Amino acid sequence: MRMLKQLGASMAAAIVASPAFAQEAPGLDEKINQTFANLTGPFVSFIFAPFPGTSFPWIVMWLVIAATVFTLYFAFVQMRFFGHAISLVKGDYSDPNDAGEVSHFQALATALSGTVGLGNIAGVAVAVGIGGPGATFWMILAGLLGMASKFTECTLGVKYRNEYEDGTVSGGPMYYMSKGFNELGLPGGKILAVLFSIFCILGALGGGNMFQANQAHQQIAGIVGDYPGWITGLVFAAVVFMVIVGGLKSIARVTEKVVPFMGILYVLTALVIILMNADMIGWAFGQIFAGAFTGLGVAGGMVGALIQGFKRAAFSNEAGVGSAAIAHSAVRTKEPITEGFVSLLEPFIDTVVICTMTALVIIITQQLIIDPETGNYMLNEAGTAIATVDGNSGVSLTSAAFGSAFSFFPYILAVAVILFAFSTMISWSYYGLKAWTYLFGEGHTKELVFKIIFCIFVVIGAAANLGPVIDFSDAAIFAMAVVNVFALYFLMKVVRQELASYSERLKTGEIRKFEH
């Protein structure tokens, strides 16, 4: 019912965006937004509410504590099996006869395409702009811890997936909640699965779709000039539909090419800028470590740096949210734990590598203004963030940092944003689809209905100003984490049994490499 209300509000917004309603659009659009905000505001406020007396959102602490628990419970599995994870991605242990739809590399690329995105470009700039360079340290720490959360959820995703006669599979939190809880004789698994599925669909249509289309249109319009958003939406919708109508194998074929390309393009550009300023690298890391423990006079001091770093990591790599477990569930393997190993690379690439690159470029190009007398960072007039060279923040700060070295970088950034947005949309279409089929059943017609709805929302997102809907969708994504982490605490002993068994067989040589 809630989804139907959202669909109705969004369709209305799309209609008022048409030329016939040009005169009344601002007022009507504002009323729709306000009505939706009033209906969903309490839920959004609850999910992102801070601990009393702080500005630390409880949902971030929920994810960070879970990541710490899993790291200790599995004895730092992310460090011990990092090399083995790389071997798995390379295909060294892949048996072509195993059940599943995609390779380890394709599963990793599909999941990464859902997490690597605008948060790596704009979100990091916000974190560093408010929390200073020290936020980078806490961001990296949270990313390293988050690797254990991904390992846990993705192992369970494969273990409890459904395998069908046509070779397709369905997996993810909704399956390990219902089947895993039932296997252990625990009540409530089905209820958790339904809740997770509802939040996943809402998150897929909003944060994984409309927000991406909206931001991509803004970036394009900023370069070529203002034009109607529905044009961008139709183009994106057509391309997205052509990809997702082919199913996961089609999605995987696209993401395994797009994700490495856009990731390498972005990281290489960052590396070139960092190497051009090689003499500043030591200073930059000094600022990161000093800021992590002293704050260097930034807004909120050390605590502000910690909060911003943890927030960025949690919002960027989605470790504990459960979304990636849906993509990783489709891998070709008979050993669930192997995909857990592969998935732990995801927060490392997303947060430890790409987010850190963005932060380093902003710090090294000295976009943040330092008081020459005290050596501390100067705050803006409002006292809420660090003053920047041109008053930039968010994606504009990242663009300015890269642009200070390469004047043409805003064009590269536009390409990166488009690719990030596109890959995120097709990955979240798959997440939403699997939640949809869990609720309404498998079948070509049922799946096509969701894919059409998803593409309609692409157009709506690019054309309309739907701030409250996007806020609600983001809250839905993190509501997935509330349900998912709760379930993981009950099921993590299953993962430890899988880990012990696999480790023993790896030592004895029973787990062997394959010639390809």
Side-chain angles (χ1 to χ4, degrees):
M1 189 67 188
R2 192 177 290 166
M3 190 175 72
L4 289 175
K5 286 182 180 178
Q6 183 187 33
L7 179 61
S10 303
M11 290 298 289
I15 292 170
V16 300
S18 66
F21 287 84
Q23 297 298 319
E24 295 133 31
L28 195 52
D29 184 58
E30 190 177 325
K31 286 179 182 176
I32 292 169
N33 282 332
Q34 190 58 51
T35 301
F36 193 87
N38 291 338
L39 290 172
T40 62
F43 172 70
V44 175
S45 298
F46 168 70
I47 292 295
F48 295 115
F51 283 114
T54 74
S55 58
F56 208 134
W58 71 269
I59 188 65
V60 173
M61 185 55 74
W62 176 254
L63 291 169
V64 171
I65 289 174
T68 305
V69 169
F70 299 138
T71 295
L72 297 174
Y73 187 76
F74 296 113
F76 293 88
V77 64
Q78 61 267 58
M79 311 304 173
R80 295 189 294 126
F81 285 90
F82 190 87
H84 187 63
I86 293 173
S87 296
L88 287 165
V89 172
K90 286 164 57 184
D92 292 348
Y93 294 86
S94 298
D95 185 344
N97 298 316
D98 285 342
E101 295 186 73
V102 296
S103 68
H104 284 298
F105 179 76
Q106 288 175 323
L108 178 64
T110 301
L112 266 174
S113 66
T115 57
V116 175
L118 298 171
N120 301 75
I121 299 173
V124 173
V126 171
V128 175
I130 297 174
T136 311
F137 175 87
W138 300 110
M139 178 182 71
I140 293 171
L141 177 62
L144 291 171
L145 293 173
M147 293 165 72
S149 298
K150 276 282 169 77
F151 162 79
T152 309
E153 61 193 4
C154 292
T155 298
L156 291 168
V158 178
K159 181 170 178 61
Y160 292 107
R161 67 186 180 182
N162 283 356
E163 298 174 6
Y164 303 106
E165 291 182 2
D166 63 357
T168 61
V169 300
S170 288
M174 49 279 194
Y175 291 93
Y176 59 68
M177 287 168 188
S178 54
K179 295 167 73 172
F181 271 51
N182 186 55
E183 184 181 283
L184 296 176
L186 298 170
K190 188 77 174 177
I191 295 170
L192 291 174
V194 169
L195 270 176
F196 179 89
S197 297
I198 292 170
F199 290 137
C200 186
I201 291 169
L202 295 173
L205 293 176
N209 181 347
M210 288 192 292
F211 174 73
Q212 306 298 324
N214 187 277
Q215 292 298 294
H217 171 69
Q218 284 189 22
Q219 187 67 23
I220 297 168
I223 289 178
V224 304
D226 198 27
Y227 67 96
W230 60 265
I231 297 175
T232 301
L234 283 176
V235 173
F236 262 90
V239 177
V240 167
F241 185 77
M242 284 189 289
V243 174
I244 68 176
V245 78
L248 181 63
K249 289 182 179 179
S250 174
I251 293 172
R253 281 195 297 271
V254 173
T255 55
E256 75 172 338
K257 295 177 178 64
V258 171
V259 173
F261 171 75
M262 69 185 184
I264 291 169
L265 173 71
Y266 190 77
V267 169
L268 278 180
T269 308
L271 270 176
V272 169
I273 295 173
I274 292 167
L275 291 175
M276 285 170 62
N277 298 275
D279 58 319
M280 299 285 289
I281 295 175
W283 173 81
F285 277 105
Q287 293 288 296
I288 288 170
F289 286 110
F293 298 102
T294 66
L296 286 174
V298 302
M302 173 188 163
V303 175
L306 183 146
I307 290 171
Q308 290 303 320
F310 278 178
K311 277 176 68 175
R312 173 60 3 240
F315 282 56
S316 176
N317 62 47
E318 296 172 16
V321 170
S323 51
I326 301 173
H328 286 284
S329 296
V331 72
R332 279 192 298 272
T333 186
K334 60 177 177 289
E335 298 284 354
I337 205 80
T338 59
E339 198 55 26
F341 295 140
V342 169
S343 69
L344 62 78
L345 295 174
E346 198 182 316
F348 183 82
I349 295 168
D350 176 275
T351 306
V352 179
V353 176
I354 299 179
C355 286
T356 302
M357 286 293 180
T358 301
L360 277 174
V361 170
I362 292 170
I363 297 165
I364 281 175
T365 56
Q366 296 180 286
Q367 296 297 309
L368 309 175
I369 298 176
I370 297 176
D371 185 338
E373 293 183 9
T374 64
N376 288 334
Y377 287 94
M378 297 177 66
L379 300 183
N380 59 14
E381 290 183 7
T384 55
I386 297 172
T388 56
V389 175
D390 294 311
N392 293 311
S393 62
V395 71
S396 301
L397 178 57
T398 304
S399 185
F402 279 82
S404 66
F406 302 112
S407 59
F408 56 82
F409 184 77
Y411 298 98
I412 292 180
L413 189 65
V415 173
V417 167
I418 291 167
L419 291 177
F420 280 147
F422 170 67
S423 64
T424 299
M425 281 191 283
I426 60 176
S427 292
W428 271 94
S429 73
Y430 180 70
Y431 300 158
L433 174 65
K434 287 303 171 184
W436 178 274
T437 56
Y438 180 82
L439 291 176
F440 302 109
E442 307 278 344
H444 178 72
T445 303
K446 292 174 183 175
E447 292 182 15
L448 187 61
V449 168
F450 176 79
K451 290 172 183 176
I452 291 171
I453 291 172
F454 189 87
C455 289
I456 289 171
F457 273 75
V458 174
V459 181
I460 294 169
N465 172 26
L466 294 170
V469 173
I470 291 169
D471 288 342
F472 175 72
S473 305
D474 286 342
I477 289 174
F478 285 94
M480 290 163 60
V482 177
V483 181
N484 184 50
V485 168
F486 179 78
L488 292 181
Y489 283 136
F490 289 96
L491 297 171
M492 61 185 184
K493 61 182 179 183
V494 176
V495 179
R496 187 152 73 173
Q497 291 166 2
E498 292 282 334
L499 179 60
S501 171
Y502 184 86
S503 299
E504 183 61 31
R505 286 179 289 133
L506 189 62
K507 287 178 184 175
T508 60
E510 187 180 337
I511 303 291
R512 61 184 179 84
K513 293 184 178 182
F514 286 85
E515 297 293 331
H516 295 282

